[in-house]
Amino acid sequence: MQLLRYTPAVLAVVMGACSAGNNNASGGGDPGDEEGAGGSGGATTAVTTSSQGGSASSFGETTGTSMQPGCDAQPDEDKDQDGFSINQGDCNDCDANVNPNAIEVIVDSSGMGGGGGAMEPADEDCDGEIDNVAGPCDMGIPLASTDPMDGARAMELCKTATPQSDWGVVSAQWVRANGVPAAVTDQWGILPDFGPNVPARAGENMFVMSSGKARLPSNGGCGSNICTGTGLGVAPPGFPQDNPSCPPSTEINDDVGLDLTIKAPSNATGYQFDFDFYSFEFPEWVCNSFNDQFIALVNPAPMGSINGNVSFDSMGNAVSVNIAFFDVCAYDSFYPQFPCSLGPAELSGNGFDIWDDAGATSWLQTTAPIGPGETFNVRFAIWDTGDDAWDSTVLIDNFKWIANGGTVIVGTNPVPE
């Protein structure tokens, strides 16, 4: 049953826990389809690998070279201990970051490394081509696809892992927030844009989840700020996550998720993805019990995550209307504490401009560390907190591997310019 709410006459000024901050998250690179991305890493919450005979690329990636002079690997020897010999397809058995299970690391036209050193493009994945990039894999996916693998493809997770030792997506499943399998619903969707001012970040489409409907007004949208969906749910352990200044209700409703099992490339040190969170909760219900949340729950949980969740701001606030980055909104003199620094343009054409006051974060980027060749699970989930009203929506796109041979930290920041 829908819980009615009444907007208070005066909304308390958000406390320090809801203020902006900086996570020093690493990341970078140009949008693309599963080529390596790099960036300068932080000092904590890290996975670090070293390169043998590689060199840094323009975004800080580690690249290999063709078989180096003086490399005395024998045809059936795995000299660099990366799981491949020359006879098994390793084109540089003196560099553990070069083998058939590696991700190609793209070098830009400057030819300069992340540390300022010159470098040469290389064939990290030993396919005989240098800096080759696969084309987009999300063309022509229907809005209401029933295949959860299409959700992965829409965010540029194009490659499917084989039962042997290859990397890529091992499995995908529609789920509720606690990981229980879920029936197909219009709370998931594949969209090329979220209105005229919010196109997909990479490829042709992006993956959308909502506690209402993952649709635009023009293709079956909710028609209001409230649409009921999957009903009463069960949150994962540790959620809804408390903000110490704004503790939420423990009840969740209309929860949906996409659960992915993924194997990382053999030269990966981390990964990144972009997301954009919209909510009708903003601004009336900031620091109230009705704080809808989006999580990216990773297992095994990387160091620095919160109950396994890797998407949160520098104050540890989960992705809700209490996160520091809620900068897209229409200015209202009743809420002077919210300056809406990015204005309302990104609300246009997606229903968040016509069905109630609303706001959004604009595109944010989460980074997280991963071990080379590691298999892990990530569950993207969203839900209504405290009721089934005032829906929220998240866009997810541009998943990329980081192959920088160095340090990757857990963190979320606005996408780099």
Side-chain angles (χ1 to χ4, degrees), residues 79-151:
K79 188 176 182 66
D80 55 14
Q81 298 296 299
D82 62 2
F84 291 88
S85 66
I86 295 172
N87 280 345
Q88 292 172 318
D90 195 335
C91 56
N92 185 351
D93 205 30
C94 287
D95 188 340
N97 292 296
V98 178
N99 61 68
N101 274 0
I103 186 82
E104 192 82 326
V105 181
I106 307 306
V107 180
D108 74 0
S109 58
S110 72
M112 300 302 292
M119 51 82 62
E120 296 180 2
D123 177 19
E124 284 84 10
D125 59 4
C126 296
D127 67 349
E129 299 182 40
I130 293 176
D131 282 6
N132 57 306
V133 181
C137 64
D138 61 353
M139 302 85 69
I141 300 177
L143 165 68
S145 173
T146 60
D147 184 356
M149 287 295 290
D150 281 341

Side-chain angles (χ1 to χ4, degrees), residues 238-250 293 316-318:
F239 297 94
Q241 182 185 324
D242 284 347
N243 177 323
S245 301
C246 323
S249 167
T250 58
Q293 292 186 0
N317 300 323

Side-chain angles (χ1 to χ4, degrees), residues 68-290:
Q68 297 174 343
C71 180
D72 57 354
Q74 299 303 304
D76 291 316
E77 177 188 10
D78 184 10
K79 188 176 182 66
D80 55 14
Q81 298 296 299
D82 62 2
F84 291 88
S85 66
I86 295 172
N87 280 345
Q88 292 172 318
D90 195 335
C91 56
N92 185 351
D93 205 30
C94 287
D95 188 340
N97 292 296
V98 178
N99 61 68
N101 274 0
I103 186 82
E104 192 82 326
V105 181
I106 307 306
V107 180
D108 74 0
S109 58
S110 72
M112 300 302 292
M119 51 82 62
E120 296 180 2
D123 177 19
E124 284 84 10
D125 59 4
C126 296
D127 67 349
E129 299 182 40
I130 293 176
D131 282 6
N132 57 306
V133 181
C137 64
D138 61 353
M139 302 85 69
I141 300 177
L143 165 68
S145 173
T146 60
D147 184 356
M149 287 295 290
D150 281 341
R153 296 182 187 103
M155 62 178 81
E156 282 64 59
L157 275 165
C158 296
K159 188 172 175 58
T160 302
T162 66
Q164 292 77 37
S165 58
D166 206 2
W167 62 271
V169 179
V170 177
S171 65
Q173 186 176 31
W174 304 126
V175 294
R176 301 289 295 271
N178 64 346
V180 173
V184 176
T185 169
D186 58 8
Q187 291 182 245
W188 296 288
I190 311 295
L191 292 171
D193 60 67
F194 203 57
N197 301 317
V198 189
R201 291 277 299 154
E204 185 175 285
N205 287 298
M206 56 187 162
F207 177 60
V208 183
M209 294 190 302
S210 181
S211 63
K213 287 189 177 183
R215 302 289 188 270
L216 295 172
S218 59
N219 54 30
C222 185
S224 76
N225 64 338
I226 301 170
C227 266
T228 57
T230 54
L232 184 65
V234 177
F239 297 94
Q241 182 185 324
D242 284 347
N243 177 323
S245 301
C246 323
S249 167
T250 58
E251 176 188 319
I252 72 167
N253 288 278
D254 297 340
D255 53 303
V256 290
L258 174 63
D259 194 88
L260 303 175
T261 299
I262 309 168
K263 185 173 183 180
S266 65
N267 59 339
T269 58
Y271 55 91
Q272 64 191 47
F273 59 87
D274 300 344
F275 71 91
D276 193 352
F277 182 76
Y278 285 73
S279 185
F280 286 113
E281 303 280 359
F282 190 88
E284 295 96 326
W285 307 104
V286 172
C287 277
N288 204 296
S289 59
F290 305 107

